[in-house]
Amino acid sequence: MNPLCCIAPVSLDHAVDCHQHPRILAAEPPSPPQPADVAGVLQKWVNYGKGWRSRWFVLEDGVLSYYKLRGGGGGSGEWPASTAAARVIGECGALRRAREEDAAAVGKQWKPFGEIHLKVSSIRASKSDDKRLYIFSGTKTLHLRCETEEDRNTWVEALLAAKDRFPWSLTSNDFGPVEDITFSTEKLRSRLLHEGLSGTVVHECESIMMTELLELHNQMKAKQQQHSVLVDRLRQLETEKVELERTVVHETKEREAHGYTNGRYSDFYSVLSGGSASESDPDTASQVTDVDTDEDEVTYFDTRDFLSVESLQSASSRRREFVTNGRNGLEYTGDSTLNTVKCTKYPFVKRRDKLPEPKEKEKPIGLWSIIKENIGKDLSGVCLPVYFNEPLSSLQKCFEDLEYSYLVDNALKCGKQGDSLMRILHVAAFAVSSYASTEGRQCKPFNPLLGETYEADYPDKGVRFFSEKVSHHPMVVACHCDGRGWKFWGDSNLKGKFWGRSIQLDPIGVLTLQFDDGETFQWSKVTTSIYNIIIGKIYCDHYGTMHIKGSGHYTCKLKFKELSIIDQNPHQVHGFIQDNRTGEKVAMLIGKWDEAMYYVLGDPGAKPKWYDPMSEAVLLWERDKSLNQTRYNLSPFAISLNELTPHILTILPPTDSRLRPDQRHLENGEYEKANSEKLRLEQLQRQARRLQEKGWQPRWFRKDEDDSYCYVGGYWEAREKRNWEGILDIFGQSSASHGWS
């Protein structure tokens, strides 16, 4: 063996003579590994597409590590041996640890996929969900969910305890110089001389040793300098983090001081992440686990450690605070215009909140026997029994799209304050909100008769709405709505087809929203499909691209994501706002058409991969969750649409949908009468095509040069005078005498 192999590394301040006593860095004996504090399975938010995924978390030496879970417990990398001594939180965690011990027994290794250092992190429990907690390091945010509230509290206590073991203020002593000691080379010299080496060779050996030790010493000094720089940077980050937290606390106190303590400040994902089928179905969840790839951890939420505190402070300064004020309006404060939009006050109108109790028991009927002969045909030509209808007509469904008309009111006020960007953001939210009422609705509305109308005078919303069926083949419905400071109109030719197991509905037509200042927005609806009409639970989905074209500075593009089999987060909507002057994207929108929509300022394409939208996301619209348990899953607003009071009965024209007998019988639960009336009216409706071929024209709408139907006016004036002269009694027994044949 070469005698130089027994020489230990030393460190010198400078080169010394071989006969001097150099100094060596004393190496600390390796300390035995400390057992992990806690371990267990937590659900971690990954991204919009993947939703919540289970991960194995281990807290050890102030570092929280998480590992991917692979079906039965296979994986790759290194698994910390000290986790065997960890205290496991939760029943799933105990089962998981048993699997890991079995895997370790056969030589399987595990590798952490991510780490969070609690020394520079904040731990907070969610106020809106008793099972969630958040860990924010200033550059990275983890959104976690436990099995129970007790598990959440245990995790929070363990994390805070681990964080307290480390000082808030780092000092240079954390990476200070190691104590120097001296040593002698006399033993080395004696050994070499004993081996019979000459004095010249011994001197050369000592010179080589000193040169190597000097190089090692210089390398260690460079590492020490890097450590000092790291300490200074960490100290700076800690100071900025504390200042940021103080700023947030200060802003919160100011908000409360201005009377916003009862406002709703929703977590960005309290809406986006809930209610997926996979979360409630363990079989589905286990099947989807294999799809979880490394890319999941990079997109959106597993952010890389490069986001600066300055960017977070900038996001805080751009944030807008929203406060819900009933269902009539919304108030927000934004610094883009330095103005405040006041909520619109409308009078209260008491409306019914439930449907009448059914008088008969509904009879089941085989759907396949009806549709098997109509596969591939136009839906409007297929006659279905009344059992497949809900007690609303397509005319009333048009008005249901305006349930959240307060968004248009807010858009009007934003434009008046010069904030065109906020105006189109509210218009986009309004366009998406029209689909919210379709979730859970398994029955189709009644197909209106030719000339059938519907009016809705809602002073509690500040709107007056009117619609009419203007064509039978093709089936076209036109509508017009007057708001306070805006108008909304459009026509819809809905083409539908049976495909055996599903129904596809393709809307044809343009919706127009015009404000009093002249700015106009136009868009068309996306495709709707209804699935499982034969076997399974019926559900609907909306998919496609919606272009909202504005006559002003901005346009919007929204993508309704089509539902897939493995999708854990259905009903997603993504989009952006584009500046017509520069072509740049100035804001992004994201949410779900049945729950809520949010916006984030800035170009989404310019955001880094690790960007977390939650730091800047602002709530635009949220669905009214006060749903009544009715036979048709109607919202409180939808329940009011077919209400017929004695006062309304005296002023309605004979063509209004509220007077349609089969629809009224269905609402009352008189199914036999409803079905017989539906057959009678459909027989009259078949004569309408011949009437249309003879040149019949709608009473309240006319075609313009763009082949679209526009409201010609006069309805509300005739209603005020109760003058319905010349209006057909299309629902009556004597309809034939009024010109149907």
Side-chain angles (χ1 to χ4, degrees), residues 470-737:
V470 295
S471 174
H472 185 60
H473 280 287
M475 202 278 279
V476 181
V477 170
C479 68
H480 181 90
C481 181
D482 290 308
R484 297 190 181 180
W486 54 269
K487 294 181 180 180
F488 175 81
W489 68 88
D491 55 51
S492 175
N493 175 13
L494 194 64
K495 290 188 176 180
K497 287 187 177 181
F498 283 121
W499 295 116
R501 297 178 59 186
S502 64
I503 300 175
Q504 179 179 325
L505 304 174
D506 296 309
I508 300 175
V510 177
L511 303 177
T512 302
L513 175 63
Q514 186 178 67
F515 295 97
D516 284 355
D517 55 17
E519 188 170 10
T520 304
F521 297 91
Q522 289 186 319
W523 67 91
S524 297
K525 290 203 164 190
V526 297
T527 299
T528 297
S529 287
I530 304 172
Y531 301 94
N532 293 341
I533 60 174
I534 301 177
I535 300 175
K537 182 179 180 181
I538 298 179
Y539 67 94
C540 72
D541 188 33
H542 310 286
Y543 53 90
T545 302
M546 177 185 290
H547 296 272
I548 303 178
K549 300 176 182 179
S551 62
H553 298 326
Y554 301 102
T555 57
C556 177
K557 180 179 179 180
L558 294 171
K559 176 69 174 180
F560 288 67
K561 183 180 177 182
E562 187 173 3
L563 186 66
S564 63
I565 298 176
I566 63 174
D567 198 348
Q568 291 185 297
N569 241 350
H571 307 165
Q572 295 179 55
V573 181
H574 303 256
F576 60 84
I577 305 296
Q578 182 173 329
D579 193 325
N580 296 332
R581 298 161 293 183
T582 63
E584 297 179 353
K585 299 175 183 177
V586 295
M588 62 183 294
L589 294 120
I590 195 160
K592 301 173 78 171
W593 52 259
D594 63 330
E595 293 187 1
M597 286 298 295
Y598 298 80
Y599 77 90
V600 179
L601 296 179
D603 184 0
K607 306 292 185 182
K609 273 189 174 182
W610 40 261
Y611 172 66
D612 182 0
M614 189 174 182
S615 61
E616 297 176 294
V618 179
L619 180 66
L620 269 174
W621 159 78
E622 187 172 17
R623 179 187 178 187
D624 180 14
K625 299 298 179 63
S626 58
L627 296 179
N628 288 28
Q629 295 297 322
T630 68
R631 304 191 302 276
Y632 306 99
N633 290 326
L634 301 180
S635 67
F637 179 68
I639 289 175
S640 70
L641 300 182
N642 202 46
E643 183 178 10
L644 186 61
T645 63
H647 171 68
I648 295 179
L649 183 60
T650 62
I651 60 178
L652 288 179
T655 55
D656 195 276
S657 296
R658 296 180 182 87
L659 305 177
R660 180 167 176 162
D662 53 351
Q663 183 174 310
R664 182 60 57 184
H665 287 314
L666 178 63
E667 180 182 285
N668 294 332
E670 300 170 317
Y671 302 110
E672 293 296 336
K673 291 182 179 179
N675 207 44
S676 60
E677 283 294 325
K678 187 172 187 291
L679 293 175
R680 181 182 67 84
L681 292 177
E682 285 176 350
Q683 182 62 33
L684 291 176
Q685 186 68 358
R686 293 185 183 96
Q687 304 174 18
R689 186 168 186 174
R690 296 197 299 269
L691 186 64
Q692 187 174 348
E693 291 173 351
K694 294 179 181 179
W696 179 89
Q697 293 293 327
R699 174 66 176 83
W700 310 105
F701 289 85
R702 291 291 183 273
K703 272 189 178 182
D704 58 14
E705 60 274 8
D706 297 328
D707 206 29
S708 298
Y709 286 91
C710 293
Y711 177 59
V712 296
Y715 174 82
W716 298 104
E717 292 78 6
R719 175 182 182 265
E720 185 176 356
K721 297 177 181 179
R722 312 290 202 274
N723 181 15
W724 304 120
E725 183 179 352
I727 303 300
L728 298 177
D729 181 15
I730 60 176
F731 305 133
Q733 296 286 348
S734 58
S735 297
S737 62

Side-chain angles (χ1 to χ4, degrees), residues 126-423:
S126 172
K127 295 182 179 179
S128 59
D129 190 331
D130 57 10
K131 297 180 183 179
R132 290 196 200 176
L133 64 142
Y134 310 101
I135 303 177
F136 175 61
S137 65
T139 60
K140 184 175 184 178
T141 304
L142 283 185
H143 307 272
L144 306 176
R145 187 167 64 183
C146 303
E147 298 175 28
T148 63
E149 181 180 4
E150 181 181 357
D151 289 349
R152 195 274 298 270
N153 296 336
T154 305
W155 269 107
V156 171
E157 291 175 2
L159 293 170
L160 292 176
K163 177 180 173 64
D164 292 340
R165 294 179 193 151
F166 296 89
W168 266 95
S169 299
L170 296 176
T171 64
S172 299
N173 292 331
D174 294 336
F175 299 103
V178 184
E179 182 182 357
D180 293 343
I181 62 173
T182 60
F183 74 100
S184 173
T185 59
E186 290 297 332
K187 292 183 180 180
L188 175 62
R189 171 181 286 274
S190 299
R191 174 65 183 276
L192 294 176
L193 292 174
H194 181 72
E195 293 290 334
L197 298 178
S198 64
T200 303
V201 175
V202 172
H203 183 75
E204 290 178 358
C205 290
E206 290 182 328
S207 298
I208 294 173
M209 181 190 69
M210 294 305 171
T211 302
E212 294 294 332
L213 293 178
L214 179 60
E215 178 64 24
L216 180 60
H217 170 71
N218 292 335
Q219 293 178 8
M220 296 184 71
K221 286 189 66 176
K223 291 293 184 182
Q224 184 177 353
Q225 291 175 357
Q226 293 178 5
H227 290 166
S228 299
V229 173
L230 177 61
V231 170
D232 293 338
R233 180 56 179 159
L234 287 175
R235 187 184 298 113
Q236 180 184 356
L237 289 174
E238 287 179 7
T239 303
E240 293 173 345
K241 179 173 176 290
V242 172
E243 291 178 355
L244 177 60
E245 289 182 343
R246 289 174 179 172
T247 301
V248 173
V249 173
H250 178 69
E251 291 179 354
T252 302
K253 290 182 178 179
E254 283 189 346
R255 200 162 56 229
E256 293 176 352
H258 286 82
Y260 298 154
T261 53
N262 293 328
R264 182 181 181 90
Y265 303 96
S266 298
D267 281 341
F268 186 46
Y269 292 105
S270 62
V271 175
L272 293 184
S273 59
S276 67
S278 59
E279 291 180 19
S280 58
D281 187 351
D283 295 332
T284 305
S286 63
Q287 295 170 3
V288 178
T289 302
D290 295 334
V291 186
D292 191 10
T293 62
D294 291 354
E295 273 188 1
D296 300 350
E297 308 296 339
V298 179
T299 308
Y300 290 112
F301 298 109
D302 274 358
T303 58
R304 302 300 183 187
D305 298 336
F306 301 118
L307 188 61
S308 64
V309 175
E310 288 79 9
S311 66
L312 295 175
Q313 292 173 337
S314 176
S316 177
S317 67
R318 290 195 301 267
R319 183 175 297 274
R320 286 162 169 80
E321 307 293 347
F322 282 76
V323 179
T324 305
N325 187 4
R327 292 167 53 192
N328 296 328
L330 198 70
E331 177 180 305
Y332 80 92
T333 303
D335 59 355
S336 60
T337 59
L338 299 179
N339 289 315
T340 301
V341 174
K342 303 287 186 181
C343 57
T344 304
K345 300 296 184 182
Y346 292 123
F348 173 77
V349 177
K350 182 175 177 56
R351 304 187 185 277
R352 68 176 183 178
D353 55 5
K354 62 180 181 179
L355 296 177
E357 291 296 327
K359 298 180 180 180
E360 301 174 10
K361 185 177 180 180
E362 189 173 359
K363 296 181 180 180
I365 189 170
L367 180 60
W368 176 245
S369 60
I370 298 173
I371 69 171
K372 64 182 179 180
E373 303 297 333
N374 298 288
I375 296 177
K377 295 184 180 180
D378 188 350
L379 180 62
S380 61
V382 179
C383 297
L384 296 176
V386 74
Y387 303 104
F388 298 106
N389 289 95
E390 63 181 12
L392 292 175
S393 73
S394 296
L395 300 172
Q396 292 166 312
K397 288 283 290 183
C398 290
F399 181 54
E400 195 174 0
D401 290 351
L402 281 87
E403 178 176 1
Y404 301 96
S405 60
Y406 71 81
L407 293 167
V408 184
D409 294 335
N410 289 340
L412 171 69
K413 296 165 188 174
C414 291
K416 288 183 177 180
Q417 294 184 353
D419 197 339
S420 300
L421 177 57
M422 286 305 302
R423 167 174 279 189

